[in-house]
Amino acid sequence: MLGLMQEWPLLCHKLLDHAAAQHGAREIVSRSVEGPVVRTTYADMRRRALKLASRLEADGFGAGDRIATLAWNTARHLEAWYGIMGIGAVYHTLNPRLFPDQIAWIMNHAEDKAVFVDLTFVPLLEKIAGSVKSLRRVVVLTDSEHMPETPLPGAVSYEEWLAEGSYDFRWRSFDENTAAGMCYTSGTTGDPKGVLYSHRSNVLHAVIAAMPDAMGLSARDVVMPVVPMFHANAWGLGQACPMVGATLVMPGPKLDGASIYELLDTERVTFTAAVPTVWLMLLRHLEETGGKLPHLRKVVIGGSACPRSMIARFQDDYGVEVVHAWGMTEMSPLGSLCTLKPEYAARAGDARLDVLQTQGYAPFGVEMKITDDENNAHPWDGRTFGRLKVRGPAVARAYYGGAGAEQFDAEEWFDTGDVAHIDPNGYMQITDRAKDVIKSGGEWISTIELENMAVGHPDVAEAAVIGARHSKWGERPLLVVVRKPDRDPSKQDVLAFLDGKIAKWWMPDDVVFVTDIPHTATGKIQKSVLRKQFRDYRLPTD
Amino acid sequence: MLGLMQEWPLLCHKLLDHAAAQHGAREIVSRSVEGPVVRTTYADMRRRALKLASRLEADGFGAGDRIATLAWNTARHLEAWYGIMGIGAVYHTLNPRLFPDQIAWIMNHAEDKAVFVDLTFVPLLEKIAGSVKSLRRVVVLTDSEHMPETPLPGAVSYEEWLAEGSYDFRWRSFDENTAAGMCYTSGTTGDPKGVLYSHRSNVLHAVIAAMPDAMGLSARDVVMPVVPMFHANAWGLGQACPMVGATLVMPGPKLDGASIYELLDTERVTFTAAVPTVWLMLLRHLEETGGKLPHLRKVVIGGSACPRSMIARFQDDYGVEVVHAWGMTEMSPLGSLCTLKPEYAARAGDARLDVLQTQGYAPFGVEMKITDDENNAHPWDGRTFGRLKVRGPAVARAYYGGAGAEQFDAEEWFDTGDVAHIDPNGYMQITDRAKDVIKSGGEWISTIELENMAVGHPDVAEAAVIGARHSKWGERPLLVVVRKPDRDPSKQDVLAFLDGKIAKWWMPDDVVFVTDIPHTATGKIQKSVLRKQFRDYRLPTD
């Protein structure tokens, strides 16, 4: 027997409709690419998004079309998302930090028909547009005054193009499982893989993000998403903020410490989110200037592991709560957030930091387990680590085009490729990537933990650990080190530094010194390249 | 084009699975019907709910069967809900405050096959069970020791019956639109009408309820739902609390001021919810004993309008935040909650109370409009009142069996039967019931506002306003008054008291004094009876 409740599909434009109806005068403040800080409201954004939707249809775009964006966080970018979704088309965020060839590959794979591009990225797009066969319209996110000369196909300034649209438009209606957005992951190996979000997954993810023990977003918050919209949906803030009616502050192209601080201060931002690198720059700026953060209440830090010292500084020096989070593009992206359950709420000092440096626990809507290679579940004992697998309504069930099918099993568990342990209270900590973890005689050794230890040595600039072949153990750890300038630590110095800090059987079998460790375009260590480089390395212990 | 996200149906038992996995040791504390305060955990509740599900199937119950509950708020009652829902059956909460004949009528209409009944209500059930043709199993929510002698069909004590179940059970799987729960509304006229909740609507409602600007529920909260589970799902707390991992404190059968205070104090309750009557008893108890509320953070008050003075006392005398809420059984039930948007957040004193005594604004997931009788939308100006209509994923689209179809229009707007105005910031205030509002020459007069004014007169015990026929205006207000004992106000006294407080054209055309005003079983004024009584009343002005 079915219930007798309304069919009210979870559609993204309802988030903006709600914001316009209930929080219509609330502001979206943007640092524009042209320079000035500009202001709009949810009511105006909705009107313009409707107009944009009508304009897209006038251009012949419609349901299912992929419309790319290559843009910073601004109100224009966000209203473009809503306009695109409102006709059943798919916004496709491109990461400008990738190599131009990768971007072109991704656009061709997605068959993007149009692109909204910021002035900043016009030169980049000019390099690749010719090789994107599907592309027939380029909208430059600026006005006629700032519009550059460009040979891009169908190029027009956003404001001129939008002016030809009509406010008199109604959102198209469709199933809540209709595709809404698209984002490609940039792995360290292989081709990028596309994740295709649905309206339902975006709305449910917004709900998961906003809950009190997740981000805890309120209409009284002033939220600055420093994390880019091209980085896994700005962690859902573009949907969650209109849903709760929070003020949005969009930092545009300037992500340096001084520019971020200026907006935090003048706009009285209460909530912000970004990767650790951004906060390093901010903390350095605060240190140099003596700036304070009297308005800021909470900062969500994710994308890579947040250093313990950063949590302590925000908390102790600036009175700001840090929520350490973990997620993936494939998860929309939130997977876990480190807020305190009552079991931990009373902790202080180091004991509190011990909890806060974990990636936290999975909210309702994310199921989590850790397993061995044969899919047997590991206990949640805070020590045993295994492959981290997840399930939920905002988790991908496949990649666009069918790549990477081996990451999804028959019960829809998605293998994250991360390795983690989970404590008895559900707090998860990433210890490695599955393809990097070293399997020594059947036992797993975390390369990340070893690297974190090694970079603690005062003479070490960067460290990477890979598994080197060993005839008895299968693999043993090899520590690859870049020395600090004018320092000359020996193998014995480095190993002696690790002694006593790690289990004896985790001790690297050798240390090699190099001048450079290879990185991806987004700054991750390319261990696959290192492994290739040291494929024939003969360990002294073997 | 569809998205590529997981099919992860929104099913109620996933709420309990999540609580068991992430908050397994969190307690559910109950004042048992037998007397003592008893404790269990989410992990244990899940195990017992699975066992209960297996036991129901062993009894031959299955998908779609309506299984009634006639019970107080206890852990047993809640685990019964989850066990029932977990086989695709439907929990059906019966309101023991209705007349026995009404309960029997409802059980027959729903064709309940079994009932879980508290010891308290065994005598009540014995009166009616014989007339409920579908009933074949009565489970008394107690153990063998406390099991009474009873002629009820298939009667057995809960613990004995449950012991025959198996923990080794897996939740049945089904569509998220499957019926999960049922609750009949008790209107002031006509037969009760059944609302049939789905798994999807229950889960989405839990999400709406828990959000920061709604109830704002956290794993660190200790939540006492004083509002009964038979009163519109205990306002969603039975779903929202496991979802966020909040501790639950279930007050069982004792709802007097002293008993409620005892649990608030000893269990360090941080959050509670009930109708104003309960809080009147608590405040009286606190006044008599000098008790304080150091742990309580927030109280949600709904079910009927919360007096301004009550909000002020909680806030000023006890430091407790009041969230005034409005809803209906047909809305699962939440429709609006009065938390403060930034436009109002800085208000203090009377200006703050002016906002807090409204029923607040609709969260994401509830659409709201006010219209005239021809469905033309009224402006949100804080003055113009009209029929309040709502839409959303947790709003009914029909009643069970098809009654009341006229309340739902083609666009699925549900006519609440309430009359309200909405201010420019979205804050809604109920001014009347649509069937009670007086239409005087095309203009609407709120009977509730007139009644609230009239009971302010020191000699008036109770007042009701109805429309009396008028040849020129159609209807004009007639004020029906019960005098206080030993007081003898005249018509002129009462009208003089109103003069200056209301618009001139709202002034009642006459006042009649009666010894008694008729009420329903749940304490509402039966204006339909009054209207019948004064059907032929000749106004002196006509």
Side-chain angles (χ1 to χ4, degrees):
Chain A
M1 183 162 69
L2 298 184
L4 288 170
M5 307 306 280
Q6 295 188 5
E7 283 173 32
W8 195 90
L10 304 176
L11 297 174
C12 290
H13 51 249
K14 291 188 179 181
L15 298 166
L16 191 57
D17 287 348
H18 173 76
Q22 287 291 350
H23 308 277
R26 203 88 70 254
E27 284 188 320
I28 300 104
V29 181
S30 307
R31 188 189 296 280
S32 65
V33 177
E34 295 88 347
V37 169
V38 295
R39 290 161 190 279
T40 181
T41 63
Y42 282 121
D44 276 347
M45 177 175 278
R46 177 173 178 273
R47 282 161 41 82
R48 281 168 58 94
L50 283 164
K51 198 171 180 180
L52 191 146
S54 84
R55 188 65 190 80
L56 282 170
E57 289 198 351
D59 260 2
F61 301 111
D65 286 340
R66 276 78 69 201
I67 311 287
T69 66
L70 191 59
W72 301 109
N73 291 9
T74 66
R76 280 183 183 141
H77 191 177
L78 189 60
E79 75 196 8
W81 276 14
Y82 281 99
I84 293 166
M85 292 189 286
I87 62 166
V90 183
Y91 68 82
H92 172 203
T93 50
L94 297 169
N95 184 345
R97 291 171 188 158
L98 298 180
F99 297 114
D101 282 357
Q102 276 184 302
I103 300 176
W105 186 94
I106 289 170
M107 292 184 78
N108 275 311
H109 191 262
E111 298 175 272
D112 294 328
K113 288 193 177 168
V115 57
F116 290 86
V117 61
D118 263 336
L119 284 168
T120 322
F121 306 119
V122 167
L124 169 60
L125 190 61
E126 285 172 353
K127 277 188 214 153
I128 59 175
S131 68
V132 181
K133 291 175 282 292
S134 49
L135 190 65
R136 58 183 177 84
R137 170 63 95 183
V138 175
V139 182
V140 182
L141 290 160
T142 192
D143 52 25
S144 57
E145 194 186 335
H146 295 85
M147 183 67 187
E149 286 285 329
T150 174
L152 286 166
V156 60
S157 86
Y158 181 72
E159 295 298 341
E160 280 176 292
W161 175 81
L162 188 61
E164 292 165 8
S166 162
Y167 290 122
D168 188 22
F169 185 84
R170 293 187 69 162
W171 305 120
R172 298 302 166 198
S173 54
F174 33 78
D175 186 277
E176 68 184 26
N177 292 303
T178 300
M182 192 176 213
C183 185
Y184 279 69
T185 61
S186 58
T188 49
T189 54
D191 288 328
K193 286 174 282 190
V195 178
L196 198 57
Y197 307 111
S198 68
H199 282 259
R200 174 182 165 105
S201 71
N202 271 358
V203 171
L204 290 176
H205 182 269
V207 154
I208 291 170
M211 295 292 266
D213 287 331
M215 292 185 176
L217 295 171
S218 156
R220 293 177 302 284
D221 273 315
V222 179
V223 175
M224 179 158 72
V226 181
V227 53
M229 291 165 70
F230 58 76
H231 184 184
N233 289 319
W235 302 351
L237 290 169
Q239 277 100 27
C241 290
M243 184 180 70
V244 304
T247 299
L248 265 171
V249 178
M250 301 296 239
K254 294 196 175 173
L255 305 182
D256 60 286
S259 301
I260 292 299
Y261 176 72
E262 187 195 354
L263 286 177
L264 288 174
D265 192 53
T266 57
E267 300 300 330
R268 299 172 171 256
V269 170
T270 63
F271 179 104
T272 182
V275 296
T277 320
V278 166
W279 304 126
L280 276 178
M281 293 191 293
L282 176 72
L283 289 170
R284 195 175 307 133
H285 175 81
L286 292 174
E287 211 167 281
E288 288 165 9
T289 60
K292 294 288 169 201
L293 299 169
H295 312 297
L296 192 63
R297 187 171 68 77
K298 195 183 282 188
V299 53
V300 177
I301 305 183
S304 59
C306 177
R308 186 179 174 102
S309 59
M310 183 176 282
I311 301 174
R313 286 185 65 191
F314 267 116
Q315 172 185 285
D316 301 339
D317 299 351
Y318 299 99
V320 174
E321 182 191 352
V322 170
V323 177
H324 192 188
W326 168 82
M328 297 180 75
T329 302
E330 292 87 338
M331 301 180 73
S332 302
L334 290 176
S336 64
L337 300 105
C338 195
T339 55
L340 297 181
K341 296 183 186 180
E343 288 86 346
Y344 290 144
R347 285 201 181 184
D350 269 341
R352 188 181 181 91
L353 287 174
D354 287 346
V355 180
L356 292 179
Q357 76 173 5
T358 74
Q359 275 89 356
Y361 69 96
F364 176 73
V366 178
E367 292 181 81
M368 207 172 252
K369 67 176 178 180
I370 43 175
T371 75
D372 62 19
D373 284 336
E374 281 71 49
N375 202 29
N376 301 302
H378 281 314
W380 291 15
D381 59 12
R383 291 186 311 273
T384 312
F385 53 87
R387 288 175 169 276
L388 180 61
K389 298 176 182 177
V390 295
R391 222 163 44 170
V395 178
R397 66 176 159 82
Y399 291 108
Y400 184 63
E406 68 284 357
Q407 283 182 258
F408 306 90
D409 74 15
E411 290 177 304
E412 288 215 327
W413 286 99
F414 167 65
D415 188 332
T416 62
D418 276 325
V419 165
H421 55 66
I422 304 179
D423 86 0
N425 287 311
Y427 285 72
M428 185 273 291
Q429 190 156 20
I430 303 286
T431 57
D432 216 336
R433 292 289 298 167
K435 63 181 183 302
D436 297 334
V437 78
I438 293 165
K439 293 169 185 175
S440 169
E443 298 291 333
W444 292 15
I445 297 172
S446 161
T447 61
I448 291 178
E449 286 191 29
L450 282 177
E451 288 159 7
N452 287 345
M453 289 293 172
V455 294
H457 189 291
D459 297 338
V460 170
E462 190 171 18
V465 174
I466 56 170
R469 271 187 310 166
H470 192 285
S471 55
K472 180 175 175 192
W473 300 107
E475 280 184 336
R476 288 294 302 160
L478 171 65
L479 176 57
V480 182
V481 166
V482 178
R483 295 187 181 99
K484 282 191 180 166
D486 306 323
R487 301 297 177 96
D488 193 25
S490 68
K491 167 181 168 179
Q492 285 69 29
D493 292 340
V494 174
L495 293 181
F497 179 78
L498 296 178
D499 193 30
K501 295 192 174 72
I502 53 171
K504 281 248 176 293
W505 61 276
W506 280 38
M507 188 61 75
D509 281 31
D510 202 3
V511 181
V512 292
F513 296 95
V514 296
T515 52
D516 210 32
I517 285 176
H519 293 93
T520 65
T522 54
K524 296 176 190 168
I525 293 178
Q526 282 183 303
K527 292 200 183 170
S528 56
V529 174
L530 274 183
R531 274 192 291 267
K532 204 170 288 176
Q533 196 176 327
F534 291 95
R535 189 171 39 197
D536 300 322
Y537 192 78
R538 192 66 186 275
L539 288 170
T541 53
D542 193 7
Chain B
M1 183 163 66
L2 297 184
L4 287 170
M5 307 305 280
Q6 295 189 5
E7 283 172 32
W8 195 89
L10 304 176
L11 298 173
C12 291
H13 51 251
K14 292 189 180 182
L15 299 165
L16 191 56
D17 288 348
H18 173 76
Q22 286 290 351
H23 309 275
R26 204 87 70 254
E27 285 189 321
I28 300 103
V29 181
S30 307
R31 189 189 295 281
S32 67
V33 177
E34 295 89 348
V37 170
V38 297
R39 289 160 192 280
T40 182
T41 64
Y42 281 121
D44 276 346
M45 176 175 279
R46 176 173 179 272
R47 282 160 43 80
R48 282 167 57 94
L50 283 164
K51 197 171 181 179
L52 191 146
S54 84
R55 188 65 189 82
L56 281 170
E57 288 197 352
D59 261 2
F61 300 112
D65 285 342
R66 275 78 69 202
I67 311 288
T69 67
L70 191 59
W72 301 109
N73 292 8
T74 67
R76 280 182 181 140
H77 190 177
L78 189 59
E79 74 195 9
W81 275 15
Y82 281 99
I84 293 165
M85 290 189 286
I87 63 167
V90 183
Y91 69 80
H92 173 202
T93 49
L94 297 169
N95 184 345
R97 292 171 187 156
L98 298 180
F99 298 114
D101 283 357
Q102 276 183 302
I103 300 176
W105 186 94
I106 288 171
M107 292 183 79
N108 275 311
H109 191 262
E111 297 175 273
D112 294 327
K113 288 192 176 170
V115 57
F116 290 85
V117 61
D118 263 334
L119 284 167
T120 322
F121 306 121
V122 167
L124 168 61
L125 190 61
E126 285 172 352
K127 278 188 213 153
I128 59 176
S131 68
V132 181
K133 291 175 282 290
S134 49
L135 191 65
R136 59 183 176 83
R137 172 62 95 181
V138 175
V139 182
V140 182
L141 290 159
T142 191
D143 52 24
S144 56
E145 195 187 335
H146 294 86
M147 183 66 189
E149 287 283 330
T150 173
L152 285 166
V156 61
S157 85
Y158 181 71
E159 295 297 340
E160 281 177 293
W161 175 81
L162 187 60
E164 293 166 8
S166 162
Y167 289 123
D168 189 22
F169 185 84
R170 292 187 68 163
W171 304 122
R172 298 301 166 200
S173 55
F174 33 77
D175 187 277
E176 69 183 26
N177 292 303
T178 300
M182 192 177 213
C183 186
Y184 279 70
T185 59
S186 58
T188 48
T189 53
D191 288 327
K193 287 174 283 190
V195 178
L196 197 57
Y197 307 111
S198 67
H199 283 259
R200 174 182 165 104
S201 71
N202 271 358
V203 171
L204 290 175
H205 182 268
V207 154
I208 292 170
M211 294 293 265
D213 288 331
M215 291 185 176
L217 295 171
S218 156
R220 294 178 302 283
D221 273 314
V222 179
V223 176
M224 178 157 73
V226 180
V227 53
M229 291 165 69
F230 57 75
H231 183 182
N233 290 318
W235 301 351
L237 290 169
Q239 279 100 25
C241 289
M243 184 180 70
V244 304
T247 299
L248 266 171
V249 178
M250 302 295 242
K254 294 197 174 172
L255 304 182
D256 60 286
S259 302
I260 291 300
Y261 177 73
E262 188 195 353
L263 286 177
L264 288 175
D265 193 51
T266 59
E267 300 298 332
R268 298 171 171 258
V269 170
T270 63
F271 179 103
T272 183
V275 296
T277 321
V278 166
W279 304 125
L280 275 179
M281 293 191 293
L282 176 72
L283 289 170
R284 196 176 305 132
H285 175 80
L286 292 174
E287 208 168 283
E288 286 164 11
T289 60
K292 295 289 169 200
L293 300 169
H295 312 296
L296 193 63
R297 186 171 67 78
K298 196 184 280 188
V299 53
V300 177
I301 305 183
S304 59
C306 178
R308 185 179 176 103
S309 58
M310 181 175 285
I311 300 173
R313 285 185 66 192
F314 268 115
Q315 172 185 284
D316 302 339
D317 299 351
Y318 299 99
V320 174
E321 181 192 351
V322 170
V323 177
H324 192 189
W326 168 82
M328 297 181 75
T329 301
E330 290 87 340
M331 300 182 73
S332 302
L334 290 176
S336 64
L337 299 105
C338 194
T339 55
L340 297 181
K341 297 183 186 179
E343 288 86 346
Y344 290 144
R347 285 200 181 186
D350 269 341
R352 187 181 182 90
L353 289 174
D354 287 346
V355 179
L356 293 178
Q357 77 173 4
T358 74
Q359 276 90 355
Y361 69 96
F364 175 73
V366 177
E367 293 180 81
M368 207 173 252
K369 67 176 179 180
I370 43 175
T371 75
D372 64 18
D373 284 337
E374 281 72 46
N375 202 29
N376 302 303
H378 281 313
W380 291 15
D381 59 11
R383 292 186 312 273
T384 312
F385 51 89
R387 289 174 168 276
L388 180 62
K389 298 176 183 177
V390 295
R391 220 161 48 167
V395 177
R397 66 176 159 84
Y399 292 108
Y400 184 63
E406 69 284 358
Q407 282 181 259
F408 306 90
D409 73 16
E411 291 176 304
E412 287 215 327
W413 287 99
F414 167 65
D415 188 332
T416 63
D418 276 326
V419 165
H421 54 67
I422 304 180
D423 86 359
N425 286 312
Y427 286 71
M428 184 274 292
Q429 190 155 21
I430 302 286
T431 56
D432 214 338
R433 293 289 296 166
K435 62 182 185 302
D436 297 335
V437 75
I438 293 164
K439 293 170 184 174
S440 169
E443 298 290 333
W444 291 16
I445 297 172
S446 161
T447 62
I448 291 179
E449 286 190 31
L450 282 177
E451 287 159 8
N452 287 344
M453 291 290 171
V455 293
H457 190 290
D459 296 340
V460 170
E462 190 172 16
V465 175
I466 56 170
R469 272 188 310 166
H470 192 286
S471 55
K472 180 175 177 196
W473 300 107
E475 281 184 336
R476 288 294 302 160
L478 171 65
L479 176 57
V480 183
V481 166
V482 179
R483 295 186 181 97
K484 282 191 181 167
D486 306 323
R487 300 297 177 95
D488 194 25
S490 69
K491 167 181 168 180
Q492 285 69 29
D493 293 338
V494 175
L495 293 181
F497 178 79
L498 296 178
D499 193 31
K501 296 190 175 71
I502 54 171
K504 282 248 175 293
W505 61 277
W506 280 39
M507 189 60 75
D509 282 29
D510 203 4
V511 181
V512 290
F513 296 94
V514 296
T515 53
D516 210 30
I517 285 176
H519 294 93
T520 66
T522 52
K524 296 175 189 168
I525 293 176
Q526 283 183 303
K527 292 201 181 168
S528 56
V529 175
L530 274 183
R531 275 192 291 265
K532 202 170 290 177
Q533 196 176 327
F534 290 96
R535 190 170 40 198
D536 301 322
Y537 192 79
R538 191 66 185 274
L539 288 170
T541 52
D542 193 6

